[in-house]
């Protein structure tokens, strides 16, 4: 830990990439692995534009179930530690999570590369609105233009929000310390940020309870729960 705190103190620019694992201790299931969020469905069956076109009600029921679960969740010490790191160091937080728990913990330099579950977007006119209700009455919801609204998240086969993604790449390229926290690093292009940071010269530290696809290429692997390790780093 002392060594890692020295890296933080010496770094001119720090970035972190978080995934579902950081919210696991807030009670939100991860996507893959045991107890994963795919909830007896394959991602390809639910998190794609094709799935929404085929059965918007099924997709909305899954998102509504998740919104309800997330609405009751609170940030954990891992989220708070990253907000604390942002207050003390030049830091950019890149998250694949759509749950909003980093915002609640106080992170502000935050890039949500997979969107936000609390945003609804019209599938026809593109109008976006924030809807904080844990459950949406009358699924599937409709826009004032009459077309179906969809969750404001990024599904498989869709592009990431261009400006947010450009800033994420920039943060990874400029970082001299890159933290990879609670992600299986299985989903691209987000997982590619690790390679990008490493080839641009960053020291890469992984925090995960398990070995992942990127474990062989990182400089340091810290095995354990993010809610325990991050507060130790930020202490
Ligand atoms: C803990 C813990 C604790 C547990 N403490 N740790 C290159 C190669 C191959 C494929 C592709 C490629 N480029 C693109 C693709 C296709 C595709 C893709 O990546 N497929 C792979 C599955 C192979 N990517 C896309 O389609 C992306 N778009 C794209 O590339 O656009 C360009 C394009 C356009 C048109 C045509 C083709 C290309 C979009 C990807 C969108 C992903 N969307 C989702 C759903 C978001 C909305 C929602 O939440 O519903 O994003 S899928 C899902 O996976 C979600 C997550 O953000 C994402 C990543 O998952 P994450 O966070 O890593 O979670 P888990 O569960 O996988 O891992 C949790 C980890 O935590 C584990 O390691 C645990 O051990 C750990 N853990 N408790 C610390 N307490
Ligand atoms: Zn509309």
């Amino acid at each position: 830990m002392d060594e890692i705190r020295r890296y933080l103190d010496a770094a001119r620019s720090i970035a972190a990439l978080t995934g579902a694992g950081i919210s696991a201790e807030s009670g939100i299931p991860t996507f893959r692995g045991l107890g994963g969020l795919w909830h007896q469905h394959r991602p390809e069956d639910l998190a794609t534009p094709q799935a929404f076109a085929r059965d918007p009600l099924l997709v909305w029921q899954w998102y509504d179930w998740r919104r309800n679960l997330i609405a009751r969740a609170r940030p954990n010490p891992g989220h708070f530690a990253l907000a604390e790191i942002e207050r003390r160091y030049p830091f950019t937080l890149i998250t694949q999570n759509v749950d909003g728990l980093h915002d609640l913990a106080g992170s502000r330099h935050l890039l949500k590369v997979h969107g936000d579950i609390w945003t609804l977007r019209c599938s026809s006119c593109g109008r976006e609105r924030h809807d904080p209700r844990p459950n949406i009455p009358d699924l599937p919801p409709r826009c004032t233009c009459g077309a179906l609204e969809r969750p404001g998240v990024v599904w498989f086969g869709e592009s990431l929000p261009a400006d947010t993604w450009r800033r994420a790449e920039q943060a990874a390229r400029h970082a001299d310390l890159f933290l990879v926290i609670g992600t299986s690093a299985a989903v691209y292009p987000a997982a590619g940020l690790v390679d990008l940071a490493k080839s641009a010269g960053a020291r890469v530290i992984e925090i995960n309870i398990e070995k992942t696809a990127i474990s062989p290429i990182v400089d340091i692997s810290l095995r354990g729960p993010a809610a325990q390790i991050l507060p130790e780093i930020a202490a």
Side-chain angles (χ1 to χ4, degrees), residues 14-233:
I14 306 167
L17 172 69
T18 60
I22 194 168
S23 294
E25 282 148 290
S26 293
I28 303 175
T30 59
F31 289 92
R32 296 166 189 84
L34 279 181
L37 192 48
W38 297 111
H39 202 54
Q40 293 151 9
H41 293 282
R42 294 181 320 132
E44 298 75 13
D45 292 339
L46 287 172
T48 67
Q50 292 79 4
F52 187 69
R54 196 165 51 235
D55 194 343
L57 183 59
L58 173 70
V59 172
W60 260 116
Q61 282 167 338
W62 187 61
Y63 276 93
D64 210 47
W65 170 75
R66 287 175 58 202
R67 283 167 64 102
N68 190 272
L69 194 78
I70 294 168
R72 285 178 278 131
R74 290 292 161 262
N76 66 53
H79 297 103
F80 288 118
L82 289 175
E84 178 59 26
I85 287 174
E86 175 182 308
R87 284 190 283 273
R88 302 213 308 252
Y89 299 97
F91 180 68
T92 302
L93 180 53
I94 305 161
T95 189
Q96 300 170 82
N97 299 346
V98 299
D99 55 31
L101 293 185
H102 285 305
D103 307 80
L104 286 182
S107 286
R108 293 293 171 263
H109 293 165
L110 178 60
L111 300 172
K112 298 181 193 175
V113 294
H114 288 166
D116 183 335
I117 202 167
W118 303 109
T119 299
L120 271 58
R121 187 167 73 245
C122 176
S123 55
S124 172
C125 73
R127 190 186 75 129
E128 286 196 353
R129 66 184 177 93
H130 177 74
D131 187 334
R133 290 175 296 178
N135 284 106
I136 295 171
D138 300 327
L139 291 177
R142 283 187 185 273
C143 175
T144 46
C145 80
L148 287 181
E149 286 179 305
R150 55 163 284 176
V153 301
V154 181
W155 285 328
F156 285 112
E158 293 185 320
S159 303
L160 278 57
D163 188 53
T164 306
W165 178 247
R166 189 184 50 74
R167 287 157 64 201
E169 283 187 314
Q170 207 169 40
R173 212 177 281 119
H174 289 137
D176 35 30
L177 182 61
F178 195 76
L179 310 174
V180 192
I181 305 158
T183 176
S184 60
V187 174
Y188 283 81
L193 292 173
V194 182
D195 258 334
L196 182 61
K198 192 165 171 66
S199 13
R203 202 181 301 267
V204 180
I205 301 178
E206 177 179 52
I207 299 169
N208 200 303
I209 52 170
E210 285 174 13
K211 194 166 181 273
T212 71
I214 53 142
S215 301
I217 67 148
V218 304
D219 296 291
I220 301 178
S221 278
L222 300 173
R223 286 275 164 273
Q228 185 189 314
I229 292 179
L230 284 169
E232 285 173 25
I233 291 177

